[in-house]
Amino acid sequence: MRTMLRAVVLWGVLVVGAGLASMEVVHAADKAGSKSEVQKSKAPTTQKAKARPVSKQSSSKIVAQQGKTVPPVSKAKSTGVAKAKSTRVAKASSSAARAGNSKSSRADRRPGNVAPSMAWHGQEHLAVRSGSALVIAQDGGEALYEKNARIVVPIASITKIMTAMVVLDSMPNLQAPITITDDDVDYLKGSRSRLQVGSVLTREMALLLALMSSENRAANALGRHYPGGLGAFIVAMNRKAASLGMSRTHFEDPTGLTSNNVSTAHDLARMVAAAYRYPLIREFSTTSGVTAEVKGRDLEYRNTNQLVKSPAWEIGLSKTGYIQEAGKCLVMQARVADRPVVIVLLDSSGKQTRIGDANRIKRWMESASAAGKATPA
């Protein structure tokens, strides 16, 4: 019995020890598992923090909002915004600079955008087709534009301006009659005239027709009726030219039909400026048309310069000319871009070339004046 009791006690002790050992093993295993789980949970948290850092400012903002969902703005994002803004400003500044440079560059390319002394001489800004040309202030001074302006060339009927001055200088009776004779007929060039031999007209009418419509027989008759005759008249023409400083000018007849009547654009500008002081020359040379009664017939005459009728032009004196040796010629006193100027165009070819050149000169001067590159006289 006692032996049996000992066996039961021993077996109990063994069972309790085994249970305790088993619990230690389970506890140790649970502890190890918990430790492993903790390590696993810590690892992702650390990686996430490294990918998306939260600044102190963002954390405090979230706390201040008391649970409201406010997306944190990282320092990196703030820097990105600043850089983007800075880049836009830089680009805008760069664009403005380029625009300014471009505008400045375009301005530099505008006609006449150079020093005043060069503004009028830039031939690249003005295409004049006449062989010789000059644009100069009426009172002289520096030429605004010139092309072969000192070359001696035939001047054709531009001659008649000098004819008119010499006639008026003699202070004749303008209402006195003069007669067209065979001596006034052009046998050199064979030019036509509606003033038949035997026609009688006043000296005033002859002067008007010579200046306005370039009537050759009228001009020659005026020279013949000069005191001392035609020879004396030619001498007076050359003397007048010399007195005006027209040192490279020579006249041999009062009409310009001879190619021996020669001058330069500069000399002719002097002549036009001098002729402008004669009221009758201004009036007659710019008259658009007139009806002349000759031998009981009414003859219609028109100005040979179509620009005198143009409302776009303010012309104070005008004269055209043509012979084959001289080409188409035109001289004018006009007010262009608020400047009184003398325009001389010689040796033009083509029906409208001299008119086209005059219009190009006008547009060029007005453009330069509007751009502020020239100051009106």
Side-chain angles (χ1 to χ4, degrees), residues 27-41:
H27 180 71
D30 289 343
K31 189 175 182 180
S34 298
K35 187 174 182 181
S36 177
E37 288 295 325
V38 170
Q39 288 175 349
K40 285 182 181 178
S41 63

Side-chain angles (χ1 to χ4, degrees), residues 265-288:
H266 271 285
D267 276 9
L268 292 181
R270 288 174 177 269
M271 184 178 74
V272 170
Y276 187 79
R277 297 194 287 267
Y278 293 71
L280 272 183
I281 296 179
R282 295 200 306 269
E283 178 187 344
F284 288 175
S285 70
T286 57
T287 299
S288 60

Side-chain angles (χ1 to χ4, degrees), residues 136-158:
I136 192 168
Q138 184 178 338
D139 58 359
E142 185 181 13
L144 309 182
Y145 174 87
E146 60 181 300
K147 174 185 177 183
N148 300 325
R150 300 185 187 278
I151 295 176
V152 177
V153 294
I155 61 174
S157 287
I158 305 302

